[in-house]
Amino acid sequence: MLPYSILELQRKAKMANMSEYNDTSLFENDNDTYPGAVDLCLPEEWFQKFLPLYIHPIICMTGLLGNILVIITYSFYKKAKSMTDVYLLNVAVADILFVIALPLIIYNQYSGWTMGDFICKLLRGTYSVNLYSGILLLACISGDRYLAIVQARRSFRIRSSTLVYSHITCFAVWLLALIISMPTFIYSSKYSTRQPYYSIGGFLNATGELEYYDDLPQVDNVCFFMFEDNETASLMKVLVPSTQMVVGFFLPLVVMGFCYTSVLITLLRAKNFQRHKAVRVVLTVVVVFVLCHLPYNLALLYHTITQFEQMECSHSKSIMATLTVTEMLAYLHCCLNPLLYAFVGVKFRNHFRKILEDLWCIGKGYITTRRPSSWVTSEMCLSSRRSVDGSFSDKGASFSM
Amino acid sequence: MARLLVLVLCLLVLLSTGAIAGRRGGCCTKYSSSVLPIERVRGFSIQTRRGNCNLDAIILHTVKGKHVCVDPLQNWVIGIVNKLKAKVQDLRQKKQNHK
């Protein structure tokens, strides 16, 4: 507090020296209130800062863990055989990149963006690319399941003959996500929230230049959109969230809705002993997608419509808080993808079990080398591994969605 | 594995609590209905929708260090802004002449 008061005194002294502007009111001791005056609206600390602080690490850790397990399982124990496998692997990659970008963005938000302008563009761009590709790939998975189950006869030859189609689709999805994210990459930049300040006294520095000073509430760097003029800002501040709502939610929702409804109808007609499980899986996938993304998209829609209107500070704060909370819910989806798509499959779970057992055996092996007396455990490992391998040939257990 | 996870989690939380120092400046979300006398205004800054704020506004800084959000299209605001700008120009000229 002390340095500030010294500055204040210096400032007052300087102003007092300027006879032309003998602003005596500066020393008057009135309360300085004006009816109807509106102050700056500061962001809500609790929702914007402290809640994300405890929720985001959890999202990052679980998202990282689940998706790394998916990638490990696919890369070491299972060659991506079906189209769905290729999509699932790509979803896991998108989710991992997303949860890696997330803590870096959060860290920089807290530290007043200590990293550079390019990192700002790169992180926000990466975040956007992976958001789109992750969700669009989920729509592709629904399309793949539709082809496999509803158009089974027609698609059999295509699906069994080549994986090229799924690779092309994935490439197209990543490219589309990249193109849609270009505005975010181009217009994001690191800048100071400190606005040019014009003052009548005492703030010219030694060289006669107008000096900025920290009069506005503690200002620091942010990484956000910055447009060259108001017209571009008005356009892009509507266009970017609109694209996000349409391509990142509405379009995938329509595709998933159509594909999974057709799948459900086909499944309910079929007389398969496992159809109840399949129906449950399909419904869970759709319900979780809607629960995670609908609240955020509704909040975003409301914000996009009302953003340029005048509003009370409390109203603005509650919109921001709603966006923050619903966004967390949307982030949560990338932690749930491994569970909803990969671990739900029997085949995948068997491969995963094999990994765990191998890891356990390596651990045991490490102990046995140190304590030679317990060689029996390694023998057990070998036998258990054999039995797991055996279960793979069991075609009956390999119904995986 | 679990211990490692807890460790990394603690580290993340520590990292982020240590970095709390920064704070984002606020934005004007509404214009004032009152008119300020120019003697009470020390300076002004301009808020545009180009950056992280969405309302075009003039932020008047009162002599007591308060901020008042006003409509940049109001005549009295344009008056204050022009007078302050002229004073600033004047001061700058004087400063340069002194050297």
Side-chain angles (χ1 to χ4, degrees), chain A residues 73 80 109 171 209 351 375 377:
Chain A
T73 309
Q109 273 177 357
F171 179 74
E209 287 295 306
H351 288 294
W375 59 274
T377 46

Side-chain angles (χ1 to χ4, degrees), chain A residues 21 28 32 35-36 38 41 53 110 191 195 198-200 213 215 218 220 227 230 234 237 310-312, chain B residues 16 19 23 27 29-34 42-44 49-54 56 61-62 64 69 88 91:
Chain A
Y21 310 106
E28 276 171 20
D32 201 47
V38 178
C41 185
L53 196 63
Y110 281 103
Y191 58 93
Q195 273 113 354
Y198 303 91
S199 167
I200 47 165
Y213 77 105
D215 197 20
Q218 284 199 310
D220 55 13
F227 305 98
N230 270 17
S234 306
K237 277 184 174 179
Q310 284 191 65
M311 59 180 79
E312 294 295 334
Chain B
S16 20
R23 202 170 162 205
C27 291
T29 58
K30 201 185 171 203
Y31 301 132
S32 304
S33 52
S34 63
R42 191 174 61 186
F44 70 94
R49 57 171 71 175
R50 291 170 52 222
N52 58 334
C53 299
N54 289 325
D56 294 326
H61 302 236
T62 73
K64 290 282 173 184
C69 298
V88 167
L91 264 177

Side-chain angles (χ1 to χ4, degrees), chain B residues 6-71:
Chain B
V6 169
L7 196 81
V8 173
L9 214 102
C10 288
L11 210 74
L12 258 175
V13 170
L14 267 176
L15 251 174
S16 20
T17 36
I20 254 181
R23 202 170 162 205
R24 238 185 290 178
C27 291
C28 287
T29 58
K30 201 185 171 203
Y31 301 132
S32 304
S33 52
S34 63
V35 175
L36 260 69
I38 187 159
E39 318 76 76
R40 311 300 305 154
V41 182
R42 191 174 61 186
F44 70 94
S45 30
I46 303 162
Q47 173 183 302
T48 67
R49 57 171 71 175
R50 291 170 52 222
N52 58 334
C53 299
N54 289 325
L55 199 67
D56 294 326
I58 298 287
I59 306 164
L60 296 180
H61 302 236
T62 73
V63 288
K64 290 282 173 184
K66 284 191 176 172
H67 308 106
V68 181
C69 298
V70 291
D71 186 351

Side-chain angles (χ1 to χ4, degrees), chain A residues 164-196:
Chain A
V164 171
Y165 289 102
S166 60
H167 288 298
I168 290 173
T169 317
C170 285
F171 179 74
V173 163
W174 284 101
L175 195 69
L176 180 67
L178 201 69
I179 292 167
I180 296 172
S181 302
M182 280 322 277
T184 308
F185 186 81
I186 292 167
Y187 291 112
S188 290
S189 65
K190 174 190 172 174
Y191 58 93
S192 167
T193 50
R194 180 155 54 186
Q195 273 113 354

Side-chain angles (χ1 to χ4, degrees), chain A residues 128-353:
Chain A
S128 174
V129 168
N130 296 300
L131 180 97
Y132 283 120
S133 56
I135 292 175
L136 288 173
L137 283 165
L138 295 185
C140 290
I141 292 175
S142 77
D144 179 55
R145 286 169 177 176
Y146 169 79
L147 286 178
I149 293 167
V150 182
Q151 309 284 340
R153 242 177 269 167
R154 212 179 300 170
S155 70
F156 182 74
R157 216 180 306 157
I158 307 168
R159 283 169 55 85
S160 58
S161 62
T162 178
L163 278 172
V164 171
Y165 289 102
S166 60
H167 288 298
I168 290 173
T169 317
C170 285
F171 179 74
V173 163
W174 284 101
L175 195 69
L176 180 67
L178 201 69
I179 292 167
I180 296 172
S181 302
M182 280 322 277
T184 308
F185 186 81
I186 292 167
Y187 291 112
S188 290
S189 65
K190 174 190 172 174
Y191 58 93
S192 167
T193 50
R194 180 155 54 186
Q195 273 113 354
Y197 176 77
Y198 303 91
S199 167
I200 47 165
F203 306 106
L204 295 175
N205 64 18
T207 55
E209 287 295 306
L210 259 184
E211 240 178 27
Y212 297 144
Y213 77 105
D214 288 345
D215 197 20
L216 285 173
Q218 284 199 310
V219 276
D220 55 13
N221 291 322
V222 289
C223 169
F224 196 71
F225 284 131
M226 179 48 98
F227 305 98
E228 58 262 37
D229 52 61
N230 270 17
E231 286 67 41
T232 321
S234 306
L235 179 71
M236 297 312 279
K237 277 184 174 179
V238 173
L239 202 63
V240 171
S242 301
T243 317
Q244 192 182 331
M245 285 181 278
V246 172
V247 184
F249 179 69
F250 192 68
L251 184 75
L253 185 70
V254 169
V255 172
M256 283 167 98
F258 170 75
C259 291
Y260 284 136
T261 310
S262 313
V263 166
L264 281 183
I265 292 168
T266 312
L267 281 175
L268 291 174
R269 277 201 202 121
K271 293 218 157 47
N272 187 312
F273 67 103
Q274 271 182 323
R275 74 170 192 197
H276 287 296
K277 198 216 164 191
V279 168
R280 221 186 305 139
V281 168
V282 166
L283 285 177
T284 316
V285 162
V286 175
V287 167
V288 168
F289 179 81
V290 171
L291 280 183
C292 284
H293 292 283
L294 185 65
Y296 177 64
N297 280 277
L298 285 178
L300 193 63
L301 181 68
Y302 184 77
H303 169 70
T304 308
I305 292 169
T306 60
Q307 61 181 340
F308 298 125
E309 288 172 14
Q310 284 191 65
M311 59 180 79
E312 294 295 334
C313 184
S314 57
H315 189 64
S316 167
K317 274 182 179 175
S318 46
I319 292 177
M320 290 306 148
T322 312
L323 278 172
T324 310
V325 173
T326 52
E327 201 177 28
M328 282 179 203
L329 203 63
Y331 290 163
L332 199 66
H333 198 232
C334 65
C335 310
L336 299 175
N337 282 336
L339 292 175
L340 289 173
Y341 288 90
F343 286 96
V344 93
V346 176
K347 259 189 198 168
F348 188 90
R349 276 209 305 273
N350 283 334
H351 288 294
F352 181 64
R353 200 177 301 143

